Amino acid sequence: MSDKKRPIGLLDSGVGGLTVASEIVNYLPAEEIAYYGDTLHLPYGPRLLEEVREFVFVIVDYLLSEKNAKAIILACNTATSAALKAVKEKYSVPVFGTIDSVTKRAIKESHNYKIGVIGTEGTVNSQAYQKSLLALDRKLKVFSAACPEFVRLVEEGRFAGPKVEKVARKYLVGLKEAGVDVLILGCTHYPYLVPVIQKVMGKEVTLISSGEAMAREVKNILKGNNMLIEDKGEEEIKQQEFIVSDQE
């Protein structure tokens, strides 16, 4: 099978990465994807990064050996924080994470140099976003908050309502008081909660998620490596495959 005909492999701890998968399908409509949701080990956020890294290696091995993926997308911020560097070093295919492309856009959008980051405990504690932002501009002030209940709410399909808004206010009050004008949604589950998060933060705060930024980066890199199917007529899409591990 030629490089162009092989699918793009994506992985996440559950359904959150589907927000990235949706943007990949939107920006690369002629491509096939193989999406792996690791529901057996959901959620990744509270786990040790070393443990998450082990899960990621197992899934990447599966996507490469069983699905013959031509590129790997870590469609999970905790997985990116834990394993992106190690996965890039181990495998020869293009590997993409959720952080760098998002931080570049966040800096471009901010006018007061105050940027907020929300994510799982693992992502926030790793300081991956903070380090990426400050490496690009030392003048920034970065404020962060872990929002562990957000993942559970999304996995339960609870995207709105008084309970969800109460939880959001609890997590976001400090960031709002800090005066951030850009808020990075540092978990691929969080775009499902955008209406509530925007309501709490106010319309003057720009929310940035990883899906669109990642899709643009994947498209550019694959095109540069002559691995991109650009025309729907060039190859007929056969399937978009979604795989989950078992529930505990």
Side-chain angles (χ1 to χ4, degrees):
M1 182 183 294
S2 71
D3 283 345
K4 281 191 175 183
K5 294 180 180 179
R6 294 157 58 191
I8 297 169
L10 298 91
L11 67 89
D12 182 58
S13 61
V15 303
L18 293 175
T19 58
V20 177
S22 175
E23 295 292 351
I24 294 295
V25 171
N26 182 43
Y27 276 86
L28 294 81
E31 295 287 348
E32 292 186 2
I33 65 172
Y35 179 95
Y36 192 107
D38 189 14
T39 51
L40 176 62
H41 300 115
L42 177 74
Y44 279 179
R47 295 181 180 273
L48 295 174
L49 294 183
E50 292 80 4
E51 187 179 22
V52 174
R53 192 176 302 121
E54 292 177 4
F55 298 153
V56 170
F57 278 135
V58 170
I59 298 170
V60 172
D61 284 339
Y62 172 82
L63 290 171
L64 293 176
S65 63
E66 300 297 323
K67 301 303 174 183
N68 199 22
K70 65 182 178 182
I72 296 293
I73 298 175
L74 306 186
C76 169
N77 287 268
T78 305
T80 298
S81 301
L84 179 63
K85 183 175 183 292
V87 173
K88 282 187 172 183
E89 290 174 351
K90 183 176 180 181
Y91 302 98
S92 59
V93 300
V95 179
F96 303 89
T98 55
I99 294 174
D100 289 345
S101 54
V102 177
T103 54
K104 291 175 184 176
R105 186 184 165 203
I107 292 173
K108 184 178 180 180
E109 294 287 341
S110 180
H111 300 292
N112 68 2
Y113 295 97
K114 294 181 180 180
I115 296 177
V117 179
I118 56 175
T120 65
E121 300 102 314
T123 297
V124 171
N125 291 340
S126 74
Q127 296 195 338
Y129 274 102
Q130 295 92 317
K131 291 174 183 176
S132 180
L133 286 163
L134 293 174
L136 294 171
D137 192 335
R138 302 297 300 181
K139 297 191 298 294
L140 294 172
K141 291 185 178 180
V142 183
F143 305 86
S144 62
C147 307
E149 289 183 65
F150 279 178
V151 172
R152 178 179 56 80
L153 290 171
V154 169
E155 292 288 338
E156 292 174 355
R158 302 168 65 184
F159 306 145
K163 171 65 183 298
V164 178
E165 187 171 331
K166 181 179 180 181
V167 172
R169 290 190 183 281
K170 176 182 70 174
Y171 288 141
L172 301 176
V173 61
L175 299 176
K176 186 172 177 64
E177 290 175 350
V180 303
D181 69 344
V182 170
L183 180 62
I184 294 174
L185 308 184
C187 175
T188 52
H189 284 72
Y190 295 179
Y192 291 102
L193 302 175
V194 160
V196 171
I197 295 172
Q198 192 76 73
K199 179 180 179 181
V200 172
M201 294 302 297
K203 62 182 180 180
E204 68 278 5
V205 176
T206 300
L207 306 184
I208 296 180
S209 58
S210 55
E212 181 181 354
M214 286 186 70
R216 290 179 182 273
E217 182 182 8
V218 172
K219 183 175 183 178
N220 290 337
I221 296 298
L222 292 185
K223 185 175 182 179
N225 291 341
N226 195 31
M227 298 169 66
L228 179 70
I229 302 174
E230 299 187 69
D231 185 354
K232 283 186 177 182
E234 184 177 342
E235 292 290 341
E236 185 176 331
I237 297 178
K238 297 178 181 178
Q239 62 180 354
Q240 308 293 7
E241 188 170 8
F242 298 89
I243 308 142
V244 294
S245 50
D246 294 330
Q247 288 282 359
E248 290 182 291

